[in-house]
Amino acid sequence: MFFALDGFLFAGWVVRIPAIKHQTGASASTLGLALLGVSAGAVVTMTLTGRLCRRFGSHPVTVVCGVLLALSIALPAQTRSALALGLVLLVFGAAYGGMNVAMNSAAVDLVAALRRPVMPSFHAAFSLGGMVGAGLGGLVAGSLSPAVHLFVLTGIGLLVTAAVGPVLLRQPAPKPASTADDAEKSRRPAGRARRMVLLFGVIALCTAYGEGALADWGALHLEQDLHAHPGIAAAGYSLFALAMTAGRLSGTALLERLGQTRTLVAGGATATAGMLLGSLAPTAWLALLGFAVTGLGLANIFPVAVGRAGELAGPGGVAAASTLGYGGMLLGPPAIGFLADWFSLPLALTTVALLAAAAAALGYGARNAAHT
C-alpha cells in the first residue's frame, strides 16, 4: 500500500506539471532547474533516512514519510514563480526520497525472508499507483485547478496512511540474522564488491533517468510538440505506468526463467526501441505506443539492479545503489530542460534511449558478477 501510495501521489504531481509551468511562467530550462528540487531533496535525505531506519526501524519511518509526502504534495500548486516552485519541490523531494528508502528497506527484509526474487512485485505496486494517479489526473485536468486537485490528493494520502500505517507499526521489521550467505559475502574481496555495487548503481541510474524524464517531460512533449489534448497528454504517463506495472508483475517469473543478465539486456534493448519511437513519432498515438514499450522495457531494470547490489554487499549495497540510482532523477530534469532549449524536446528525450542502451550493455558486462 505504501509503494502504491508513493506512486499515486507522485503521478498526481507530474500530470499537473504543464499547468503549473504555465502558472509560474517558467521556460523549459528554468522549469528543469525547478524540477531539480525533487531529485535534489530526495538524494540529500536518503543517507539520513537510512540512519533513521537503522535507529528506529523502517516501518515507523515509512509511516512518518507517508504523512510528510501527503502534506507536501499540495505545495507546488501554491507557487507563482520558478524559484518558489523549486524551493517547495525540495520539501516534496525530501519526503519522496525518505519514503523510497524506508519502504525499500522494509521490502528488502521481506525479500530476504522469502528467498525469492519478488522485489519487482513491490515496484509493480508503485507503478500501479502511478497509473491510477495519472489516470485520475487526466480525468480532472480540464475541470479542477492544480491547487484543488493536489489538495484532494493530500486528503487521500493522509487517509490511506491513517488506515494502513497502524497495521505496519504493529508488525516490526525483522532483525537481520547472520546466515551462511552473510559469511560468504564477508569473504568476497571488498574492492570487487564495491565496484560491482557501483556498476549496478549506474545501471539503476540509467533507468531512473528514463523514468524521471517521462514523468517530468512526457506530458509536456505530447501537449506541446504533438498538440495532444491535456487529458491525452496526462494519459501518456498513465500508459507508461501501466506497462511498467505489467512488466513488474511478471518480473519474478521473468527472473526465474531468464535470469538477471538476460532480463537486464532484454529490458534495456526494449526501452531503447520504445523511447526512440516515443520521442520521434510524428503523432501522439505513436508516441503513446512508444511510451508503453519504454515502460515495459524499463520495468525490471531498477529492482534487479538494486536487488543484485544487496546480494553483493548486503543492506549497504542496497543503499548505495539506490542513492546512485535516484541520482538519475537528479540528472534527468535539468539535462532534458537545457537540451530542449538548445535543440528540441523530442531530441532531448532521445537521451533516454541512449541511457537505456547503456544499461543493457552494462548489464551484459556484469554477467560474471552473478558467479562471484
Side-chain angles (χ1 to χ4, degrees):
M1 287 301 298
F2 277 101
F3 269 85
L5 178 64
D6 192 50
F8 176 79
L9 294 178
F10 184 73
W13 142 246
V14 300
V15 299
R16 300 315 298 253
I17 287 175
I20 293 176
K21 176 181 183 292
H22 177 74
Q23 176 179 297
T24 58
S27 67
S29 57
T30 55
L31 177 64
L33 289 173
L35 293 173
L36 180 64
V38 178
S39 299
V43 171
V44 166
T45 57
M46 280 181 171
T47 302
L48 174 62
T49 306
R51 293 174 182 171
L52 291 174
C53 287
R54 286 192 293 272
R55 181 168 182 178
F56 300 107
S58 59
H59 291 185
V61 178
T62 298
V63 174
V64 171
C65 289
V67 173
L68 295 176
L69 186 66
L71 292 174
S72 63
I73 196 171
L75 298 177
Q78 308 303 318
T79 61
R80 294 295 182 272
S81 70
L83 176 61
L85 178 63
L87 291 175
V88 301
L89 288 180
L90 279 171
V91 178
F92 176 69
Y96 179 72
M99 180 85 152
N100 275 273
V101 169
M103 68 187 187
N104 272 291
S105 296
V108 165
D109 292 335
L110 289 171
V111 170
L114 290 170
R115 294 187 176 276
R116 289 191 66 212
V118 296
M119 184 63 89
S121 299
F122 292 105
H123 288 260
F126 172 87
S127 298
L128 181 60
M131 180 188 68
V132 174
L136 177 64
L139 289 175
V140 304
S143 57
L144 292 182
S145 68
V148 173
H149 176 203
L150 297 184
F151 183 74
V152 170
L153 294 188
T154 292
I156 294 173
L158 292 175
L159 285 174
V160 171
T161 302
V164 303
V167 180
L168 194 63
L169 292 174
R170 285 196 296 268
Q171 180 62 51
K175 298 292 184 183
S178 179
T179 64
D181 290 341
D182 296 327
E184 182 183 345
K185 286 174 189 173
S186 68
R187 291 193 295 269
R188 290 173 178 160
R192 179 174 176 79
R194 282 194 295 269
R195 288 194 297 272
M196 296 311 304
V197 167
L198 176 63
L199 176 61
F200 284 109
V202 172
I203 292 173
L205 182 150
C206 293
T207 308
Y209 179 97
E211 289 189 54
L214 276 172
D216 290 345
W217 296 100
L220 193 63
H221 169 56
L222 290 166
E223 190 172 334
Q224 171 185 287
D225 299 317
L226 300 177
H227 311 294
H229 182 273
I232 298 296
Y237 184 73
S238 182
L239 192 60
F240 172 75
L242 173 61
M244 290 200 79
T245 302
R248 286 172 170 173
L249 286 174
S250 60
T252 298
L254 195 67
L255 283 167
E256 290 176 336
R257 176 178 289 271
L258 298 181
Q260 293 171 340
T261 299
R262 290 180 181 176
T263 299
L264 288 174
V265 173
T270 301
T272 300
M275 200 57 215
L276 286 174
L277 176 62
S279 58
L280 302 177
T283 68
W285 296 109
L286 282 175
L288 288 171
L289 175 62
F291 286 0
V293 174
T294 304
L296 201 60
L298 293 179
N300 294 304
I301 300 178
F302 190 94
V304 168
V306 171
R308 188 69 190 114
E311 292 174 19
L312 287 166
V318 174
S322 296
T323 302
L324 186 57
Y326 282 109
M329 292 186 181
L330 184 68
L331 174 67
I336 296 290
F338 282 116
L339 288 171
D341 267 358
W342 294 336
F343 304 103
S344 68
L345 183 53
L347 186 62
L349 288 173
T350 61
T351 59
V352 175
L354 180 65
L355 289 185
L362 291 171
Y364 182 76
R367 63 193 182 280
N368 292 328
H371 307 294
T372 309

